PDB file of all heavy atoms in Angstrom:
ATOM      1  N   GLY A  10    -123.653  46.572 -13.674  1.00 97.00           N
ATOM      2  CA  GLY A  10    -124.104  47.854 -14.120  1.00 97.00           C
ATOM      3  C   GLY A  10    -125.584  47.831 -14.409  1.00 97.00           C
ATOM      4  O   GLY A  10    -126.272  46.934 -13.878  1.00 97.00           O
ATOM      5  N   LEU A  11    -125.997  48.874 -15.282  1.00 98.00           N
ATOM      6  CA  LEU A  11    -127.344  49.032 -15.623  1.00 98.00           C
ATOM      7  C   LEU A  11    -127.455  48.696 -17.049  1.00 98.00           C
ATOM      8  O   LEU A  11    -126.742  48.970 -17.937  1.00 98.00           O
ATOM      9  CB  LEU A  11    -127.748  50.508 -15.482  1.00 98.00           C
ATOM     10  CG  LEU A  11    -129.122  50.973 -15.875  1.00 98.00           C
ATOM     11  CD1 LEU A  11    -130.214  50.224 -15.104  1.00 98.00           C
ATOM     12  CD2 LEU A  11    -129.202  52.417 -15.911  1.00 98.00           C
ATOM     13  N   VAL A  12    -128.468  47.799 -17.274  1.00 98.00           N
ATOM     14  CA  VAL A  12    -128.698  47.268 -18.591  1.00 98.00           C
ATOM     15  C   VAL A  12    -130.333  47.184 -18.720  1.00 98.00           C
ATOM     16  O   VAL A  12    -131.046  46.965 -17.863  1.00 98.00           O
ATOM     17  CB  VAL A  12    -128.054  45.882 -18.766  1.00 98.00           C
ATOM     18  CG1 VAL A  12    -128.659  44.821 -17.878  1.00 98.00           C
ATOM     19  CG2 VAL A  12    -128.186  45.500 -20.205  1.00 98.00           C
ATOM     20  N   GLN A  13    -130.709  47.161 -19.963  1.00 98.00           N
ATOM     21  CA  GLN A  13    -132.192  47.046 -20.347  1.00 98.00           C
ATOM     22  C   GLN A  13    -132.531  45.686 -20.353  1.00 98.00           C
ATOM     23  O   GLN A  13    -131.662  44.881 -20.625  1.00 98.00           O
ATOM     24  CB  GLN A  13    -132.485  47.875 -21.605  1.00 98.00           C
ATOM     25  CG  GLN A  13    -132.425  49.334 -21.567  1.00 98.00           C
ATOM     26  CD  GLN A  13    -132.981  49.881 -22.861  1.00 98.00           C
ATOM     27  OE1 GLN A  13    -132.848  49.327 -23.968  1.00 98.00           O
ATOM     28  NE2 GLN A  13    -133.501  51.196 -22.770  1.00 98.00           N
ATOM     29  N   ALA A  14    -133.817  45.391 -20.071  1.00 98.00           N
ATOM     30  CA  ALA A  14    -134.242  44.111 -20.154  1.00 98.00           C
ATOM     31  C   ALA A  14    -134.032  43.567 -21.487  1.00 98.00           C
ATOM     32  O   ALA A  14    -134.125  44.122 -22.621  1.00 98.00           O
ATOM     33  CB  ALA A  14    -135.730  44.087 -19.946  1.00 98.00           C
ATOM     34  N   GLY A  15    -133.565  42.189 -21.607  1.00 98.00           N
ATOM     35  CA  GLY A  15    -133.076  41.632 -22.785  1.00 98.00           C
ATOM     36  C   GLY A  15    -131.646  41.769 -23.085  1.00 98.00           C
ATOM     37  O   GLY A  15    -131.118  41.125 -24.106  1.00 98.00           O
ATOM     38  N   GLY A  16    -130.997  42.582 -22.348  1.00 98.00           N
ATOM     39  CA  GLY A  16    -129.572  42.797 -22.692  1.00 98.00           C
ATOM     40  C   GLY A  16    -128.586  41.765 -22.003  1.00 98.00           C
ATOM     41  O   GLY A  16    -129.153  40.732 -21.337  1.00 98.00           O
ATOM     42  N   SER A  17    -127.310  41.987 -21.973  1.00 98.00           N
ATOM     43  CA  SER A  17    -126.358  41.041 -21.416  1.00 98.00           C
ATOM     44  C   SER A  17    -125.396  41.670 -20.720  1.00 98.00           C
ATOM     45  O   SER A  17    -125.072  43.007 -20.878  1.00 98.00           O
ATOM     46  CB  SER A  17    -125.643  40.317 -22.664  1.00 98.00           C
ATOM     47  OG  SER A  17    -126.538  39.623 -23.446  1.00 98.00           O
ATOM     48  N   LEU A  18    -124.808  41.024 -19.845  1.00 98.00           N
ATOM     49  CA  LEU A  18    -123.701  41.505 -18.951  1.00 98.00           C
ATOM     50  C   LEU A  18    -122.763  40.302 -18.641  1.00 98.00           C
ATOM     51  O   LEU A  18    -123.184  39.149 -18.544  1.00 98.00           O
ATOM     52  CB  LEU A  18    -124.142  42.089 -17.570  1.00 98.00           C
ATOM     53  CG  LEU A  18    -124.690  43.567 -17.683  1.00 98.00           C
ATOM     54  CD1 LEU A  18    -125.097  43.771 -16.186  1.00 98.00           C
ATOM     55  CD2 LEU A  18    -123.682  44.529 -18.001  1.00 98.00           C
ATOM     56  N   ARG A  19    -121.468  40.629 -18.482  1.00 98.00           N
ATOM     57  CA  ARG A  19    -120.612  39.512 -18.027  1.00 98.00           C
ATOM     58  C   ARG A  19    -119.875  39.852 -16.678  1.00 98.00           C
ATOM     59  O   ARG A  19    -119.184  41.034 -16.690  1.00 98.00           O
ATOM     60  CB  ARG A  19    -119.469  39.084 -19.049  1.00 98.00           C
ATOM     61  CG  ARG A  19    -118.717  37.962 -18.639  1.00 98.00           C
ATOM     62  CD  ARG A  19    -117.609  37.553 -19.666  1.00 98.00           C
ATOM     63  NE  ARG A  19    -116.424  38.295 -19.603  1.00 98.00           N
ATOM     64  CZ  ARG A  19    -115.275  37.908 -20.022  1.00 98.00           C
ATOM     65  NH1 ARG A  19    -115.091  36.679 -20.586  1.00 98.00           N
ATOM     66  NH2 ARG A  19    -114.226  38.787 -20.076  1.00 98.00           N
ATOM     67  N   LEU A  20    -120.140  39.255 -15.765  1.00 98.00           N
ATOM     68  CA  LEU A  20    -119.485  39.419 -14.432  1.00 98.00           C
ATOM     69  C   LEU A  20    -118.178  38.689 -14.384  1.00 98.00           C
ATOM     70  O   LEU A  20    -118.085  37.657 -14.814  1.00 98.00           O
ATOM     71  CB  LEU A  20    -120.363  38.997 -13.213  1.00 98.00           C
ATOM     72  CG  LEU A  20    -121.761  39.719 -13.197  1.00 98.00           C
ATOM     73  CD1 LEU A  20    -122.503  39.221 -12.002  1.00 98.00           C
ATOM     74  CD2 LEU A  20    -121.698  41.153 -13.287  1.00 98.00           C
ATOM     75  N   SER A  21    -117.170  39.284 -13.629  1.00 98.00           N
ATOM     76  CA  SER A  21    -115.931  38.639 -13.415  1.00 98.00           C
ATOM     77  C   SER A  21    -115.612  38.580 -11.920  1.00 98.00           C
ATOM     78  O   SER A  21    -116.068  39.481 -11.175  1.00 98.00           O
ATOM     79  CB  SER A  21    -114.687  39.438 -14.047  1.00 98.00           C
ATOM     80  OG  SER A  21    -114.961  39.458 -15.581  1.00 98.00           O
ATOM     81  N   CYS A  22    -114.964  37.544 -11.443  1.00 97.00           N
ATOM     82  CA  CYS A  22    -114.632  37.410 -10.104  1.00 97.00           C
ATOM     83  C   CYS A  22    -113.070  36.993 -10.143  1.00 97.00           C
ATOM     84  O   CYS A  22    -112.782  35.907 -10.502  1.00 97.00           O
ATOM     85  CB  CYS A  22    -115.442  36.417  -9.397  1.00 97.00           C
ATOM     86  SG  CYS A  22    -114.886  35.943  -7.774  1.00 97.00           S
ATOM     87  N   ALA A  23    -112.147  37.888  -9.679  1.00 95.00           N
ATOM     88  CA  ALA A  23    -110.861  37.639  -9.567  1.00 95.00           C
ATOM     89  C   ALA A  23    -110.317  37.361  -8.252  1.00 95.00           C
ATOM     90  O   ALA A  23    -110.785  38.057  -7.256  1.00 95.00           O
ATOM     91  CB  ALA A  23    -110.074  38.928 -10.163  1.00 95.00           C
ATOM     92  N   ALA A  24    -109.628  36.177  -8.138  1.00 92.00           N
ATOM     93  CA  ALA A  24    -109.145  35.719  -6.873  1.00 92.00           C
ATOM     94  C   ALA A  24    -107.668  36.141  -6.701  1.00 92.00           C
ATOM     95  O   ALA A  24    -106.836  36.037  -7.681  1.00 92.00           O
ATOM     96  CB  ALA A  24    -109.274  34.270  -6.798  1.00 92.00           C
ATOM     97  N   SER A  25    -107.211  36.426  -5.557  1.00 89.00           N
ATOM     98  CA  SER A  25    -105.853  36.942  -5.235  1.00 89.00           C
ATOM     99  C   SER A  25    -105.447  36.506  -3.935  1.00 89.00           C
ATOM    100  O   SER A  25    -106.351  36.198  -2.987  1.00 89.00           O
ATOM    101  CB  SER A  25    -105.736  38.330  -5.628  1.00 89.00           C
ATOM    102  OG  SER A  25    -106.418  39.106  -4.590  1.00 89.00           O
ATOM    103  N   GLY A  26    -104.243  36.508  -3.521  1.00 83.00           N
ATOM    104  CA  GLY A  26    -103.839  36.195  -2.251  1.00 83.00           C
ATOM    105  C   GLY A  26    -102.969  34.871  -2.271  1.00 83.00           C
ATOM    106  O   GLY A  26    -102.589  34.348  -3.163  1.00 83.00           O
ATOM    107  N   ARG A  27    -102.899  34.277  -1.090  1.00 75.00           N
ATOM    108  CA  ARG A  27    -102.189  33.047  -0.842  1.00 75.00           C
ATOM    109  C   ARG A  27    -102.805  31.915  -1.644  1.00 75.00           C
ATOM    110  O   ARG A  27    -103.869  31.964  -1.981  1.00 75.00           O
ATOM    111  CB  ARG A  27    -102.098  32.568   0.729  1.00 75.00           C
ATOM    112  CG  ARG A  27    -103.450  32.336   1.245  1.00 75.00           C
ATOM    113  CD  ARG A  27    -103.255  31.884   2.682  1.00 75.00           C
ATOM    114  NE  ARG A  27    -104.488  31.654   3.272  1.00 75.00           N
ATOM    115  CZ  ARG A  27    -105.275  30.402   3.256  1.00 75.00           C
ATOM    116  NH1 ARG A  27    -104.871  29.422   2.335  1.00 75.00           N
ATOM    117  NH2 ARG A  27    -106.423  30.300   3.702  1.00 75.00           N
ATOM    118  N   THR A  28    -101.862  30.892  -1.886  1.00 63.00           N
ATOM    119  CA  THR A  28    -102.430  29.745  -2.521  1.00 63.00           C
ATOM    120  C   THR A  28    -103.519  29.094  -1.728  1.00 63.00           C
ATOM    121  O   THR A  28    -103.446  28.947  -0.587  1.00 63.00           O
ATOM    122  CB  THR A  28    -101.204  28.701  -2.736  1.00 63.00           C
ATOM    123  OG1 THR A  28    -100.176  29.444  -3.606  1.00 63.00           O
ATOM    124  CG2 THR A  28    -101.715  27.523  -3.427  1.00 63.00           C
ATOM    125  N   PHE A  29    -104.552  28.653  -2.343  1.00 68.00           N
ATOM    126  CA  PHE A  29    -105.657  28.200  -1.716  1.00 68.00           C
ATOM    127  C   PHE A  29    -106.180  26.945  -2.388  1.00 68.00           C
ATOM    128  O   PHE A  29    -105.986  26.837  -3.630  1.00 68.00           O
ATOM    129  CB  PHE A  29    -106.719  29.150  -1.485  1.00 68.00           C
ATOM    130  CG  PHE A  29    -107.300  29.800  -2.804  1.00 68.00           C
ATOM    131  CD1 PHE A  29    -108.313  29.237  -3.528  1.00 68.00           C
ATOM    132  CD2 PHE A  29    -106.635  30.924  -3.254  1.00 68.00           C
ATOM    133  CE1 PHE A  29    -108.776  29.877  -4.533  1.00 68.00           C
ATOM    134  CE2 PHE A  29    -107.033  31.586  -4.394  1.00 68.00           C
ATOM    135  CZ  PHE A  29    -108.083  31.039  -5.095  1.00 68.00           C
ATOM    136  N   THR A  30    -106.895  26.178  -1.743  1.00 76.00           N
ATOM    137  CA  THR A  30    -107.581  24.961  -2.380  1.00 76.00           C
ATOM    138  C   THR A  30    -109.072  25.361  -2.580  1.00 76.00           C
ATOM    139  O   THR A  30    -109.653  25.996  -1.724  1.00 76.00           O
ATOM    140  CB  THR A  30    -107.447  23.720  -1.493  1.00 76.00           C
ATOM    141  OG1 THR A  30    -108.083  23.964  -0.242  1.00 76.00           O
ATOM    142  CG2 THR A  30    -106.085  23.192  -1.318  1.00 76.00           C
ATOM    143  N   THR A  31    -109.587  24.826  -3.641  1.00 85.00           N
ATOM    144  CA  THR A  31    -110.921  25.087  -3.940  1.00 85.00           C
ATOM    145  C   THR A  31    -111.692  24.026  -4.347  1.00 85.00           C
ATOM    146  O   THR A  31    -111.188  23.143  -5.234  1.00 85.00           O
ATOM    147  CB  THR A  31    -110.913  26.253  -5.138  1.00 85.00           C
ATOM    148  OG1 THR A  31    -110.233  27.395  -4.787  1.00 85.00           O
ATOM    149  CG2 THR A  31    -112.349  26.628  -5.371  1.00 85.00           C
ATOM    150  N   TYR A  32    -112.793  23.783  -3.733  1.00 90.00           N
ATOM    151  CA  TYR A  32    -113.709  22.553  -4.211  1.00 90.00           C
ATOM    152  C   TYR A  32    -114.650  23.105  -5.215  1.00 90.00           C
ATOM    153  O   TYR A  32    -114.953  22.465  -6.167  1.00 90.00           O
ATOM    154  CB  TYR A  32    -114.451  21.970  -3.004  1.00 90.00           C
ATOM    155  CG  TYR A  32    -115.518  20.996  -3.357  1.00 90.00           C
ATOM    156  CD1 TYR A  32    -115.190  19.867  -3.821  1.00 90.00           C
ATOM    157  CD2 TYR A  32    -116.961  21.444  -3.293  1.00 90.00           C
ATOM    158  CE1 TYR A  32    -116.260  18.906  -4.242  1.00 90.00           C
ATOM    159  CE2 TYR A  32    -117.759  20.539  -3.744  1.00 90.00           C
ATOM    160  CZ  TYR A  32    -117.461  19.299  -4.121  1.00 90.00           C
ATOM    161  OH  TYR A  32    -118.520  18.521  -4.549  1.00 90.00           O
ATOM    162  N   ALA A  33    -115.143  24.246  -5.016  1.00 93.00           N
ATOM    163  CA  ALA A  33    -116.062  24.836  -6.007  1.00 93.00           C
ATOM    164  C   ALA A  33    -116.044  26.336  -5.880  1.00 93.00           C
ATOM    165  O   ALA A  33    -115.686  26.986  -4.902  1.00 93.00           O
ATOM    166  CB  ALA A  33    -117.439  24.390  -5.740  1.00 93.00           C
ATOM    167  N   MET A  34    -116.564  27.057  -6.919  1.00 94.00           N
ATOM    168  CA  MET A  34    -116.788  28.461  -6.964  1.00 94.00           C
ATOM    169  C   MET A  34    -118.171  28.817  -7.382  1.00 94.00           C
ATOM    170  O   MET A  34    -118.731  27.975  -8.100  1.00 94.00           O
ATOM    171  CB  MET A  34    -115.706  29.230  -7.823  1.00 94.00           C
ATOM    172  CG  MET A  34    -114.374  29.093  -7.499  1.00 94.00           C
ATOM    173  SD  MET A  34    -113.128  30.101  -8.382  1.00 94.00           S
ATOM    174  CE  MET A  34    -113.591  31.779  -7.806  1.00 94.00           C
ATOM    175  N   GLY A  35    -118.677  29.868  -6.824  1.00 97.00           N
ATOM    176  CA  GLY A  35    -120.044  30.011  -7.287  1.00 97.00           C
ATOM    177  C   GLY A  35    -120.507  31.537  -7.263  1.00 97.00           C
ATOM    178  O   GLY A  35    -119.721  32.318  -6.926  1.00 97.00           O
ATOM    179  N   TRP A  36    -121.643  31.700  -7.878  1.00 98.00           N
ATOM    180  CA  TRP A  36    -122.321  33.007  -7.942  1.00 98.00           C
ATOM    181  C   TRP A  36    -123.497  33.080  -7.135  1.00 98.00           C
ATOM    182  O   TRP A  36    -124.361  32.065  -7.220  1.00 98.00           O
ATOM    183  CB  TRP A  36    -122.427  33.595  -9.274  1.00 98.00           C
ATOM    184  CG  TRP A  36    -121.223  33.890 -10.121  1.00 98.00           C
ATOM    185  CD1 TRP A  36    -120.574  33.094 -10.961  1.00 98.00           C
ATOM    186  CD2 TRP A  36    -120.604  35.097 -10.119  1.00 98.00           C
ATOM    187  NE1 TRP A  36    -119.486  33.799 -11.421  1.00 98.00           N
ATOM    188  CE2 TRP A  36    -119.448  35.043 -10.963  1.00 98.00           C
ATOM    189  CE3 TRP A  36    -120.750  36.327  -9.444  1.00 98.00           C
ATOM    190  CZ2 TRP A  36    -118.619  36.048 -11.252  1.00 98.00           C
ATOM    191  CZ3 TRP A  36    -119.963  37.313  -9.721  1.00 98.00           C
ATOM    192  CH2 TRP A  36    -118.841  37.341 -10.567  1.00 98.00           C
ATOM    193  N   PHE A  37    -123.795  34.013  -6.322  1.00 98.00           N
ATOM    194  CA  PHE A  37    -124.993  34.143  -5.498  1.00 98.00           C
ATOM    195  C   PHE A  37    -125.491  35.654  -5.898  1.00 98.00           C
ATOM    196  O   PHE A  37    -124.836  36.505  -6.292  1.00 98.00           O
ATOM    197  CB  PHE A  37    -124.678  34.186  -4.085  1.00 98.00           C
ATOM    198  CG  PHE A  37    -124.197  32.788  -3.602  1.00 98.00           C
ATOM    199  CD1 PHE A  37    -122.952  32.323  -3.895  1.00 98.00           C
ATOM    200  CD2 PHE A  37    -125.091  31.851  -3.049  1.00 98.00           C
ATOM    201  CE1 PHE A  37    -122.508  31.067  -3.599  1.00 98.00           C
ATOM    202  CE2 PHE A  37    -124.603  30.548  -2.711  1.00 98.00           C
ATOM    203  CZ  PHE A  37    -123.323  30.138  -3.056  1.00 98.00           C
ATOM    204  N   ARG A  38    -126.851  35.830  -5.530  1.00 98.00           N
ATOM    205  CA  ARG A  38    -127.380  37.236  -5.629  1.00 98.00           C
ATOM    206  C   ARG A  38    -128.271  37.512  -4.462  1.00 98.00           C
ATOM    207  O   ARG A  38    -128.858  36.628  -3.983  1.00 98.00           O
ATOM    208  CB  ARG A  38    -127.910  37.430  -6.977  1.00 98.00           C
ATOM    209  CG  ARG A  38    -129.249  36.561  -7.248  1.00 98.00           C
ATOM    210  CD  ARG A  38    -129.707  36.752  -8.577  1.00 98.00           C
ATOM    211  NE  ARG A  38    -130.871  35.975  -8.784  1.00 98.00           N
ATOM    212  CZ  ARG A  38    -131.518  35.817 -10.060  1.00 98.00           C
ATOM    213  NH1 ARG A  38    -130.913  36.438 -11.163  1.00 98.00           N
ATOM    214  NH2 ARG A  38    -132.539  35.126 -10.149  1.00 98.00           N
TER     215      ARG A  38
END
Side-chain angles (χ1 to χ4, degrees):
L11 174 64
V12 64
Q13 288 189 333
S17 300
L18 282 175
R19 188 177 80 156
L20 305 183
S21 299
C22 173
S25 64
R27 62 174 176 84
T28 301
F29 55 92
T30 58
T31 303
Y32 170 73
M34 296 185 72
W36 288 96
F37 295 75
R38 67 186 181 187

